[in-house]
Structures are given as structure tokens and as C-alpha cells.
Amino acid sequence: VLKIHHLVLSRSERIVWLAEELGLKYELVRHARVPQSFRSPESLRQISPLGKAPVIQDGSVTVCESAAIVEYLLDHYGNGTLRPGVSSAEFLEYRYWIHSAESTLMVPVLFDMLGGMAGLDSPILSGFVSGEYKTMLDFVDQTLERHEFVAGASFTAADIMVGYTLRLGSGRAVPGMAVHAPLDAYPRIVGYLDTLEARPAFEKAMALLAG
Ligand SMILES: N[C@@H](CCC(=O)N[C@@H](CS)C(=O)NCC(=O)O)C(=O)O
């Protein structure tokens, strides 16, 4: 059976959410964070060389990296859902957002989070973070102005990828984490996150992870 390794309060919520969207049967393996460092425990290092979540095991195959796992699950169990066809107009946007969620869009969120955790008070850092938040949130907003989901009129796995990044930056994913994505200035993005969080598969995944 497919094993999803979940690190508590982490990106691996994406994979549980996707598995619920696809109605997959899977075993959830939870890994607690090390309390002092908030890093992953030794148990994850035994599954993947970097010791990072998410990671899945499907028979003899091990896959790491959120987006690589998403694409693997869609390749093998997607039956053509949650991803536009390669020759469709939406596909390039889909691919852009699948990648951006863990790269350009994630950059200000990570610097914001780590700056806060380290107690850094640096104008260079805060200027970078606020500038990148504005650039990226403006772009997400313009994208959502054109269509309801990031890759078009339909919900896709790119929304699962982007949704987590935005949830992390807005403080929704890790309660109590000092993060500052200025979502109040972007009601359309707030509405988008509310729509994503109202999906039955998201709610089921979150209930499972909270239990
Ligand atoms: N780009 C990678 C990031 C993986 C990553 O950094 N995961 C975090 C969880 S949110 C982690 O395992 N952190 C614990 C650690 O590195 O000790 C992905 O999307 O899978």
C-alpha cells in the first residue's frame, strides 16, 4: 500500500490532501518534529537522504519533493484528473505554478519565517521580504482575476501546491508562526484560500492530520 510520510505541521499536508482528492488508499506515517529545533526527526532520514517531508513509498519506489510526488501520483493514479492536458492552453500555467509554489513564491515565505524565528531585525531582510511578497502576491492576484484557480477555470493539483505556500505565508498552516504575507490587501486571494479550504478532501485531510 502507498505510504505517505507526514512531518507534523508541514508541506506533506499537500500530499494527504491530494490523496484524498484522488480517493487513494494509503497508509499515513506520522513523524513528530524535534521540539527544540522544529526540524525533522531521525526517522525521516531513514526514508530519504535529506530527511525532509513529504516523502512517499509506493512498493519499491521512494519519491521526495512535493511537486515530484504530486506529478508521480497523477501519473500513476490520476486517471487524467487534476491536471490539464499537455497540449491544452492551461498546461503551461499549471506547470508554472507547480514549480513556483516551491521556488519563487516560497522564497519570501521562507525568509519571513526564518527571519522571525531567528529574531532578526534587518532592513535588508524585511525590504526583500516585503518587496517579494508584493511582487508575488500581485501576480497571484492578477492570475486569479483572469480565472478562478491558478491554472484556469478548474481546480488542479497546482492549487494544492500554491495553496500550501499561501497558507504558510498567511499563518493559516502553522498557527502561531510569525509570518507576514499581507493578505488583507488581497481579498481575492483570501477568497481563493477559503474556497480551497472548503473542499471536502481538504477538510478530510486536515481532520485526519489533526487527529
Ligand atoms: N521543496 C521541498 C521542501 C522539503 C522541506 O523542506 N520540508 C520541510 C517540511 S515543511 C522539512 O522536512 N523540514 C524539516 C527539516 O528540514 O529538518 C518539498 O517541497 O518537498
Side-chain angles (χ1 to χ4, degrees), residues 168-185:
L168 187 61
S170 66
R172 293 188 187 203
V174 183
M177 177 73 75
V179 276
H180 310 90
L183 283 199
D184 288 352

Side-chain angles (χ1 to χ4, degrees), residues 157-180:
D159 297 297
I160 294 180
M161 289 297 298
V162 168
Y164 180 75
T165 310
L166 294 172
R167 278 170 39 70
L168 187 61
S170 66
R172 293 188 187 203
V174 183
M177 177 73 75
V179 276
H180 310 90

Side-chain angles (χ1 to χ4, degrees), residues 7-12 14 33 37-41 44-45 50-55 64-69 101-103 106 110 113 161 164 168:
L7 177 64
V8 172
L9 292 175
S10 88
R11 290 161 170 87
S12 35
R14 286 178 176 136
R33 286 182 181 269
S37 63
F38 205 60
R39 302 296 304 267
S40 54
L44 262 174
R45 239 158 233 101
L50 303 182
K52 292 186 186 298
V55 51
C64 308
E65 272 297 325
S66 313
I69 296 170
E102 273 299 313
S103 52
M106 188 56 103
L110 280 187
M113 221 173 76
M161 289 297 298
Y164 180 75
L168 187 61

Side-chain angles (χ1 to χ4, degrees), residues 1-3 56-63 72-73 76-77:
V1 66
L2 175 71
K3 274 191 192 172
I56 61 162
Q57 291 174 304
D58 191 15
S60 60
V61 172
T62 300
V63 189
Y72 173 90
L73 292 177
H76 292 267
Y77 307 109

